Amino acid sequence: MRKLVIAPSILSADFAKLGEEVRAIDQAGADFIHVDVMDGHFVPNISIGPGVVSAIRPHTRKPLDTHLMIAPADPYLAAFAKAGADMIMVHVEAGPHPHRSLQAIRAAGKRAGIALNPGTPESAVAYLLDLVDQILVMTVNPGFGGQDFIPEMVEKVARVKAMTSGRDIDIEVDGGCTPQTVGKVAAAGANVIVAGAAVFKDGPQAYATHIAALRQAAAAARGEMA
């Protein structure tokens, strides 16, 4: 069984003190720091770029799990790699050549991931499995934090898990993840849990409590102790 990872999304952090927020979730027990990059084109929102990734890099030694919701992604891969991203994920829907994008990410020495929107079938990544370290199943439509979990994505996670059987691939979920929903996706095969509002909602004093609650719910569904 693959290691359970909790990856708080800084999209829900206080951007006025982002370095402090990153240090706080690191100390509160985050395994990865999830970085949502949006361009106002591929998704209807604009967030951050390589400069912000570079700025937060000194504030944590935890892996920066960088999710590019941008199109085209290829012109920016080198910049995110140089900025300090450890995992770079592109959307299979974001361009005609995801295979090339994944090759470029790996050539930069980074872990490569592919992301699937809710309306995209898992078959879209079937021919990419030899190039991916992680598959991200979006459990909301990408673009905004705080959305409700889409229940139909639980079955999709299970199908991705079956597709990746025997391979060294993490399965990540992002969107609407709370202690009430993570058990379902963890039982279906997800081992990397992204959560934004569920971690950041009550301020720094509650980050450790919220991360622990997510971990406990997911671990219980996997038959493990948190």
Side-chain angles (χ1 to χ4, degrees):
M1 186 175 291
R2 302 192 68 78
K3 180 183 177 183
L4 177 61
V5 171
I6 305 299
S9 169
I10 63 170
L11 185 65
S12 296
D14 183 346
F15 274 41
K17 46 185 179 181
L18 203 48
E20 294 176 36
E21 292 277 65
V22 168
R23 294 196 301 273
I25 56 174
D26 181 327
Q27 294 164 10
D31 301 299
F32 290 176
I33 311 299
H34 188 79
V35 182
D36 286 308
V37 179
M38 306 178 185
D39 64 357
H41 169 68
F42 182 68
V43 293
N45 196 8
I46 297 173
S47 60
I48 63 178
V52 174
V53 173
S54 180
I56 65 173
R57 179 70 279 179
H59 293 274
T60 181
R61 294 185 178 180
K62 300 288 176 67
L64 296 183
D65 186 43
T66 309
H67 176 198
L68 303 187
M69 290 170 272
I70 64 176
D74 288 1
Y76 303 96
L77 298 177
F80 280 102
K82 184 178 180 181
D86 296 288
M87 161 71 79
I88 300 177
M89 290 176 286
V90 296
H91 272 258
V92 69
E93 311 94 344
H97 306 296
H99 190 279
R100 179 181 295 159
S101 301
L102 294 167
Q103 286 180 317
I105 294 167
R106 285 197 158 183
K110 306 299 181 177
R111 298 183 73 234
I114 197 78
L116 290 164
N117 283 330
T120 303
E122 67 278 0
S123 59
V125 301
Y127 76 102
L128 300 169
L129 297 181
D130 288 341
L131 282 173
V132 297
D133 299 293
Q134 188 162 291
I135 297 175
L136 169 56
V137 177
M138 291 300 299
T139 43
V140 299
N141 287 297
F144 297 95
Q147 298 184 67
D148 290 336
F149 181 87
I150 300 175
E152 291 80 7
M153 296 302 102
V154 175
E155 292 183 9
K156 188 175 184 179
V157 169
R159 293 193 297 269
V160 170
K161 179 63 176 178
M163 177 189 296
T164 60
S165 178
R167 293 176 180 268
D168 186 19
I169 297 175
D170 287 323
I171 300 174
E172 183 173 44
V173 289
D174 182 2
C177 289
T178 68
Q180 290 71 47
T181 60
V182 295
K184 299 173 184 178
V185 289
N191 68 294
V192 182
I193 308 296
V194 177
V199 170
F200 287 94
K201 61 182 179 179
D202 296 316
Q205 69 280 358
Y207 293 168
T209 299
H210 293 324
I211 290 171
L214 289 163
R215 194 183 306 278
Q216 182 175 9
R222 285 158 49 100
E224 302 174 331
M225 294 294 291

